[in-house]
Amino acid sequence: MPCPLATHDWPAASRQAHQLKGACMLMGLTALASALTDIEQAAENAPAENPGALLRQLAQNVSATRQALGGLTPVRAGGLVSA
């Protein structure tokens, strides 16, 4: 499925960004939610001036989030998993 920003499908870009933003907020991923807010707003005010810049910002936040999550210790319902 092509990226709606790349294909200039502004309504789909806005919807997808909104849905992903909500999921990120539920998980406390505020940097990702902020980047998705920017994408959602740009898509609503289409045409977005520079969708490539918005996608790069999102990719940087995804990378930083993945690195941060990679350093976490897995947990179980009963507490920390023993190493």
Side-chain angles (χ1 to χ4, degrees):
M1 169 181 252
C3 173
L5 281 178
T7 60
H8 303 269
D9 184 352
W10 308 122
S14 177
R15 275 192 313 277
Q16 287 183 6
H18 181 79
Q19 290 169 345
L20 287 170
K21 177 183 72 173
C24 288
M25 290 176 72
L26 285 172
M27 294 183 281
L29 304 173
T30 56
L32 287 176
S34 177
L36 289 160
T37 296
D38 292 343
I39 291 172
E40 181 183 14
Q41 290 173 349
E44 288 173 356
N45 298 318
E49 289 183 24
N50 190 351
L54 294 171
L55 291 173
R56 281 189 296 280
Q57 176 188 1
L58 180 61
Q60 289 171 350
N61 283 312
V62 167
S63 179
T65 300
R66 288 182 67 187
Q67 287 179 339
L69 290 174
L72 295 178
T73 303
V75 294
R76 273 193 245 168
L80 293 177
V81 174
S82 0

